[in-house]
Amino acid sequence: MEVLEEKWKKLRLREEEVVDIVIEDNAPEVLRYKEQRSLVGRMASSRTISREALEATMAKIWRISKAAKFMEVSLNMFVLVFENQEDKQRVWAGRPWLFDNNLLVLREFEGHIPLHRIDFDYESFWIRMHNLPLSCMTKERGIQIGSTVGKVEKVDVQDDGCGWGCYLRVCIYVNLSQPLARGRTLKIKGESVWVPFSYEKMPRICFSCGCIAHGTTGCCSVLEELESKEEQYGVWMRAS
């Protein structure tokens, strides 16, 4: 579709083709209600996903009043219609969702946007930050560190702003086309501290480049010959 759009831009349109047809925003109430109960989803997978299998599997995973209806609108892209807005919000709040360890990226339904212009390059993940000094187990530090990864949406702390435990949980809006962050190095009183990350509900990733989704050209990672042959990305990044 993107290739076709570029081709269309180069066409010399005739007079009747260039005249705008003004579409009034007067959709029937029943259609508006359907849009309010819908989401748009795309599987971040290079293989074709069966609509029937996806719909049946998610019906078992989502604990909602009635199974959502999946309508395939493009390859691996679906409109999800829920029974009510409460079911939709429950699914939206529970992101990310996986099917066969592949990520189902969800977006709010916006009927005025052409399908190929919907941005599926980002999704929210809960990231666990391990090996943090106790003084860094705070909302403020979670935002500071998390902001170097993506947009911080939430930090899981107590009412006083502190998070005591084995790790600090931070919900971050992650760029799927970039390698997953494996951790960050902190400088505390002159000492360097490595803080490894693990991902809750981490989907299948490319162990070569660390990306969840590749572009149309596939993996562009240039691997160097390493004597140890150690994988730079792997299942060890998945939270247990």
Side-chain angles (χ1 to χ4, degrees), residues 88-211:
K88 169 191 166 182
Q89 290 303 321
R90 183 185 181 93
V91 170
W92 180 256
R95 292 170 300 145
W97 297 104
L98 306 182
F99 170 79
D100 193 25
N101 275 337
N102 291 296
L103 179 65
L104 173 61
V105 187
L106 295 178
R107 288 291 176 269
E108 290 279 8
F109 186 96
E110 295 182 273
H112 63 280
I113 300 179
L115 294 176
H116 66 282
R117 293 186 183 176
I118 300 176
D119 184 4
F120 289 101
D121 289 339
Y122 294 84
E123 187 55 284
S124 299
F125 285 93
W126 279 101
I127 298 179
R128 298 180 182 180
M129 300 180 178
H130 302 268
N131 198 37
L132 278 172
L134 293 180
S135 62
C136 293
M137 298 281 285
T138 65
K139 180 177 181 179
E140 179 183 8
R141 296 307 178 205
I143 294 175
Q144 180 183 5
I145 301 169
S147 295
T148 68
V149 178
K151 179 182 178 182
V152 175
E153 297 182 322
K154 187 177 180 181
V155 182
D156 186 14
V157 292
Q158 302 175 38
D159 292 339
D160 61 0
C162 296
W164 302 103
C166 299
Y167 50 79
L168 183 65
R169 296 176 73 237
V170 184
C171 186
I172 303 177
Y173 203 49
V174 174
N175 188 336
L176 304 180
S177 65
Q178 298 297 315
L180 289 184
R182 293 167 291 183
R184 289 292 185 265
T185 301
L186 309 185
K187 182 74 93 175
I188 303 175
K189 293 187 176 181
E191 295 289 333
S192 293
V193 178
W194 171 248
V195 178
F197 295 163
S198 64
Y199 293 75
E200 298 179 9
K201 296 184 181 180
M202 189 186 85
R204 182 178 286 112
I205 68 171
C206 175
F207 289 170
S208 295
C209 68
C211 294

Side-chain angles (χ1 to χ4, degrees), residues 13-27:
L13 301 180
R14 298 196 302 271
E15 182 178 350
E16 64 270 23
E17 292 176 326
V18 77
V19 175
D20 289 334
I21 301 176
V22 179
I23 305 298
E24 302 292 342
D25 187 18
N26 55 356

